Amino acid sequence: RVQEEDFDSIRDYIDQMEEVFPKRRNRAYYAEILERFIQTTYISNLAREIGALVNDGNPEDAEEKLRESKVPKASNIELLFLPDDVDRLWREETDAEKLKCVPTGIKQLDAIIGEGLRPGELGVFIAPTGYGKSMALVDVAAHAWSKARNIMHFSFENTEDETIRRYISNMTSRTIEELTLEGGKDSKTIISLKNEIAESVGSKIAVSRLVGTRTTTEVLMADYYATVEIYGFEPDLMIVDYGDLMIPVTRGRSKYEDMQSVFAELRDLATELKVPLWTASQSNREGLKAKRVRLDHIADSLGKAMTADLIVGISRPDKDEAASFGEDIVSGDVAEMKVLKFRRGPEGDVIKVRTDFSLSRFVETDAEEIADMKAEVDDDRAKRKWRSKKNG
């Protein structure tokens, strides 16, 4: 806590710093300045104390003071000891601990990762452009919301309105066009819609759009704490759409290093805030050409995969197959999800889900339904091929 007598010194220091660094009117900027001020003040006071001890003829005490200043101060340390705590391997999670895990809502995926993403863990969806990365983030968050979890959603691509539209369609199972036909612009209808959403679970989703090229994890952390302080809103899950568009706190020598740093910092952020964090990453050109996304298809930096706790690849082989026939499957095609990396356990089998872009949702499906859809598509292609030959 800053003492009142230090206010004038801080103001002078900020004025000096703004002459050195470009002015950025945001919390993270002034938090950085304040940290620098505290460090500078500490060093100045330390130098004064050591100088006074030397002048008073106590060089041994001055040396000891200097030695103490170099020793890092321990935080509230919590240790496990072996063999005393070996029974923790078979300890069942408490209900409170289980509540903090956030399931994805896709049963087969949750079965693999066990109850969902845990606080402090970083989950990543990887897919080519247009395969449903942002939709997957919305779908996971909407499911968490339905289970009375508060969500904080940061977006770098979609506007707040675009993101809200996706959530509303997912929550109500109606497209925006359907809601408009129901009188969505009418004030009574809007009130009814708000009540429908609010009364169902009682949790909320806070949506914020930021500029990725100006956003570090320090900015996200500052916004998180400001939201808690100003609105009294404590998120249970954080969504970052998406990490590839951010910048690291400290720039490296290459984009590879920068991207690795961003994802490491995102995981540190999840650990610091004690919340699960989902983000997404683009696959590279090889991933776009491949029928199924692999771990080595992650774009820019394979180092991103090193820091993530969970990586789920999204492939859409039906879409790729349709493209080879000159077709464009807009909805109803089958997507495949596969756990490419899981820190707590093994990879799982391919999970088949049906994509519904109109409702920003993945719908679990079974083998029989997939076979019926495949047969319908093949039959339609055969008919068009026959017509083409007949007219040819």
Side-chain angles (χ1 to χ4, degrees):
R1 186 177 295 273
V2 178
Q3 301 297 321
E4 189 173 347
E5 57 266 23
D6 291 329
F7 284 171
D8 290 338
S9 299
I10 291 175
R11 289 194 194 95
D12 293 340
Y13 188 78
I14 288 176
D15 290 339
Q16 294 173 18
M17 292 292 283
E18 286 186 337
E19 291 178 5
V20 179
F21 295 101
K23 294 183 181 180
R24 303 194 309 274
R25 298 292 181 183
N26 60 49
R27 285 182 292 274
Y29 173 65
Y30 289 107
E32 181 182 347
I33 287 183
L34 183 58
E35 184 178 349
R36 288 172 182 266
F37 172 79
I38 293 171
Q39 291 174 347
T40 303
T41 303
Y42 171 76
I43 292 172
S44 299
N45 291 339
L46 179 64
R48 257 195 306 273
E49 290 179 28
I50 292 174
L53 288 170
V54 172
N55 291 334
D56 291 342
N58 299 308
E60 294 85 0
D61 291 344
E63 186 176 349
E64 180 64 23
K65 186 76 176 177
L66 182 60
R67 189 181 299 111
E68 287 178 1
S69 70
K70 294 180 180 179
V71 177
K73 299 295 186 291
S75 58
N76 295 328
I77 189 168
E78 295 182 10
L79 298 175
L80 296 179
F81 290 92
L82 293 178
D84 306 30
D85 294 311
V86 74
D87 59 311
R88 287 180 59 90
L89 295 175
W90 292 273
R91 181 184 68 87
E92 290 191 14
E93 289 182 314
T94 65
D95 291 339
E97 288 173 329
K98 288 180 180 178
L99 185 62
K100 292 179 180 179
C101 294
V102 179
T104 65
I106 300 171
K107 293 179 182 178
Q108 296 177 72
L109 179 57
D110 289 331
I112 295 171
I113 64 178
E115 301 293 339
L117 203 63
R118 296 178 178 180
E121 289 185 331
L122 172 65
V124 181
F125 285 108
I126 171 177
T129 302
Y131 276 45
K133 295 188 301 295
S134 295
M135 187 178 79
L137 295 174
V138 167
D139 196 29
V140 167
H143 177 76
W145 164 84
S146 73
K147 300 300 180 183
R149 311 294 179 86
N150 286 330
I151 317 296
M152 174 165 276
H153 186 124
F154 292 106
S155 176
F156 303 127
E157 274 196 324
N158 300 315
T159 65
E160 291 96 333
D161 288 348
E162 290 168 341
T163 303
I164 288 173
R165 285 192 192 102
R166 292 183 175 188
Y167 275 116
I168 293 295
S169 293
N170 188 297
M171 293 170 173
T172 63
S173 298
R174 277 120 69 196
T175 66
I176 297 301
E177 291 73 22
E178 289 171 337
L179 289 170
T180 302
L181 290 174
E182 292 177 13
K185 295 181 180 180
D186 180 71
S187 58
K188 291 183 179 179
T189 306
I190 291 174
I191 293 172
S192 174
L193 183 61
K194 285 182 179 179
N195 291 336
E196 176 187 342
I197 296 173
E199 291 176 0
S200 57
V201 290
S203 57
K204 293 183 179 181
I205 300 175
V207 178
S208 174
R209 188 189 187 189
L210 300 173
V211 179
T213 54
R214 299 179 188 173
T215 303
T216 65
T217 51
E218 288 182 342
V219 173
L220 298 186
M221 182 177 287
D223 285 2
Y224 174 95
Y225 283 121
T227 302
V228 172
E229 182 179 349
I230 296 171
Y231 297 98
F233 178 84
E234 295 194 21
D236 302 301
L237 172 67
M238 184 177 288
I239 301 293
V240 177
D241 187 13
Y242 53 97
D244 288 358
L245 302 177
M246 293 177 61
I247 57 173
V249 173
T250 303
R251 290 294 185 101
R253 293 171 294 181
S254 65
K255 189 172 183 179
Y256 184 98
E257 290 184 358
D258 285 352
M259 283 295 96
Q260 182 173 350
S261 295
V262 165
F263 278 70
E265 290 163 8
L266 283 172
R267 187 173 189 272
D268 290 346
L269 179 67
T271 302
E272 176 78 17
L273 300 180
K274 296 181 174 62
V275 296
L277 193 157
W278 273 104
T279 188
S281 180
Q282 190 103 327
S283 67
N284 55 27
R285 291 180 180 178
E286 286 72 22
L288 186 60
K289 295 174 185 176
K291 189 171 183 179
R292 289 180 177 84
V293 175
R294 301 193 309 269
L295 193 60
D296 60 341
H297 289 153
I298 196 164
D300 297 326
S301 172
L302 192 57
K304 293 186 287 189
M306 295 167 57
T307 58
D309 297 281
L310 171 65
I311 299 179
V312 179
I314 302 176
S315 305
R316 293 175 65 197
D318 284 3
K319 173 179 171 139
D320 298 333
E321 186 179 351
S324 68
F325 283 90
E327 302 169 0
D328 182 20
I329 298 178
V330 178
S331 63
D333 56 311
V334 176
E336 294 183 353
M337 291 186 175
K338 182 169 173 44
V339 174
L340 304 177
K341 176 193 173 183
F342 183 39
R343 196 182 296 275
R344 287 189 274 119
E347 300 173 7
D349 297 327
V350 171
I351 303 165
K352 292 185 179 290
V353 290
R354 187 161 45 81
T355 57
D356 191 338
F357 284 95
S358 63
L359 297 181
S360 296
R361 182 183 295 170
F362 287 105
V363 181
E364 287 191 83
T365 187
D366 54 32
E368 185 178 348
E369 183 181 2
I370 292 171
D372 290 342
M373 291 170 57
K374 184 76 172 173
E376 186 179 340
V377 170
D378 289 342
D379 184 56
D380 183 58
R381 285 175 182 158
K383 287 178 182 177
R384 283 188 285 107
K385 189 175 181 180
W386 179 81
R387 292 192 198 100
S388 177
K389 280 187 176 181
K390 184 179 178 181
N391 297 331

